Amino acid sequence: VAPELTVAGAMPEMTPRRREALLALAASVTAAAFAFDVVALTLSVLAGLLFLALNVFRVAMATGAADDGGREPARADDRDLPVYTVLVCLAREGAVVPGLLDALERFDYPPAKLDIKLLIEQGDDETLGALARRPPRAGIEVLTLPPGGPKTKPRALNAGLMAARGALVTVFDAEDLPDPDQLRRALAVFRASPPEVACVQARLAIDNTGDGWLARQFAIEYAALFDVGLPALSAAGLPIPLGGTSNHFRASALRSLGGWDAGNVTEDADLGLRLARFGWRTRTVASVTWEESTTRLWPWIKQRTRWMKGYMVTSVVHARSFGSLAARLGPFRLAGALMTVAGVALTALVYPLVMTGLAVDALTGGWAKPSKTSLESLLFMAHVGNLALGCAAGLACCWLGADKRGEPRLAIDLFTTPLYWLLVGVAAWRALWQIVYGDASRWEKTAHGLSTRRSRPPA
């Protein structure tokens, strides 16, 4: 990974140019103190325009064309299939080892051409013990990682990439249950695509919706993202923030980028943006990997904190060479990248503040008080309309996703999805706190194998 695109150098050196920028910022803040009303009005208008652009973008994603990876491919002859490397990172995952091995051994792919590597940290006796009780079939290799840090998933994946034999490489999580034909379908997309397509992202779905409200909201969120959002981004040729699993790569392209950023706790979103930055494209395929949602609030908050923190860090790291990013992507793809990475983090931070402000105004009668000027009144109505449009666009994506996922019973939960977004906001502010206090690489692991209600709904 290029040094300017890694977390490791997140605190930049104080160069003369940066010193001048800080002085200019300080001067601007000082000047703003003497013209507070004008500055506040300007910032309010700019914020409204920014979120209007985000909302229009989401509406376009909800109503635009979708890339499903093409039609069902003809079955390729086994002799024509390349070696396919499958990387799975496990950390204290004893509970899910049997189900994981069952899923890996069900792949519809010649075992002789499968290079499956289970990546385990040294000293993880829980996972190693589970593998001793349920040994993998011949050809599935268990790699114990050497000591070192940071102890993150991307660091383990980089070790696996060094040992990978396949022309194609894919990543799965320990709790994943992928469709057995997913490797063949991803390969078919690669073969039907131009050489610059370096990645194919499969769809993720939640299969333990019987575990309560939080799991159902997670299922709605995944449906909106993987069944609506990412296929639309792919069809438009825009950068895609990858999911953390079920992404398939050309090994040569992945190595040309230096693999994953070991210090980024959302290595998937960073890699998706880095692929676009260096001229590669990503497509999606309508093959599903089933995952287990966490069902308790505090583990969910910690997991979502990690995701939001990764989006923020990715935004900052790539912005450090913003001119290069803009030149490489061009205006249209740059706007898409900003919307899908920085825009997600910004929306998550702002949403609870706006909702809290509206609630306080409603409870204190602020809405009924006359505004000082007609301009203030107009701005207030514009911001409320902007909020309504944003919520409508988000709910539309959720509704379409749940419908495509074939789970109409989730529709009733859409009425409480705005409350779920408030929880996302809490996690976003927790993520920002961790970044500010120097904990950007902290990996808060999510426990798996806790659900007893995993069942796949109809596709």
Side-chain angles (χ1 to χ4, degrees), residues 47-48 59 64 75 120 161 203 209-210 249 304 356 367 378 417 452:
V59 171
R75 185 177 180 83
I120 303 173
L161 181 61
R203 300 183 182 180
T209 54
F249 303 95
R304 192 50 55 94
T356 300
W367 290 10
L378 181 63
T417 294
T452 59

Side-chain angles (χ1 to χ4, degrees), residues 248-427:
H248 303 253
F249 303 95
R250 297 188 195 272
S252 57
L254 194 52
R255 290 191 174 103
S256 75
L257 295 176
W260 292 265
D261 182 356
N264 193 320
V265 295
T266 312
E267 79 294 336
D268 41 6
D270 167 74
L271 185 55
L273 185 51
R274 195 147 33 90
L275 282 165
R277 183 175 192 139
F278 289 96
W280 300 101
R281 281 190 55 206
T282 300
R283 290 192 63 190
T284 56
V285 62
S287 179
V288 181
T289 296
W290 298 94
E291 288 203 321
E292 172 194 5
S293 165
T294 183
T295 59
R296 292 179 292 131
L297 182 58
W298 183 238
W300 181 94
I301 288 287
K302 291 196 293 184
Q303 182 187 59
R304 192 50 55 94
T305 295
R306 172 163 53 84
W307 294 359
M308 286 290 110
K309 182 166 58 175
Y311 270 62
M312 295 174 193
V313 168
T314 296
S315 302
V316 171
V317 166
H318 284 269
R320 285 164 54 187
S321 50
F322 188 79
S324 170
L325 179 67
R328 288 174 180 269
L329 293 182
F332 180 63
R333 300 178 77 214
L334 175 65
L338 293 175
M339 299 285 188
T340 54
V341 181
V344 168
L346 183 61
T347 302
L349 289 170
V350 170
Y351 178 74
L353 300 182
V354 172
M355 296 303 290
T356 300
L358 289 176
V360 169
D361 266 2
L363 293 173
T364 59
W367 290 10
K369 295 177 182 177
S371 299
K372 293 180 181 178
T373 66
S374 58
L375 180 59
E376 287 183 353
S377 178
L378 181 63
L379 271 177
F380 177 79
M381 289 188 292
H383 287 322
V384 171
N386 214 357
L387 176 65
L389 176 62
C391 289
L395 289 172
C397 289
C398 292
W399 186 5
L400 290 169
D403 182 58
K404 290 184 178 183
R405 182 62 26 220
E407 294 195 76
R409 61 179 179 169
L410 295 177
I412 192 68
D413 288 291
L414 290 174
F415 288 101
T416 54
T417 294
L419 298 178
Y420 180 78
W421 294 339
L422 287 175
L423 296 178
V424 175
V426 170

Side-chain angles (χ1 to χ4, degrees), residues 75-82 108-111 113 184 191:
R75 185 177 180 83
D77 191 293
D78 287 0
R79 292 172 297 180
D80 297 332
L81 299 179
D108 178 17
Y109 209 84
K113 294 190 174 183
R184 287 181 181 267
R191 287 180 167 174

Side-chain angles (χ1 to χ4, degrees), residues 68-73 84 108-109 179-191 200 248 284-288:
D68 62 0
R71 297 180 179 179
E72 189 79 22
Y84 218 122
D108 178 17
Y109 209 84
D179 285 344
D181 66 346
Q182 187 171 124
L183 304 187
R184 287 181 181 267
R185 297 199 63 179
L187 172 62
V189 175
F190 279 120
R191 287 180 167 174
V200 174
H248 303 253
T284 56
V285 62
S287 179
V288 181

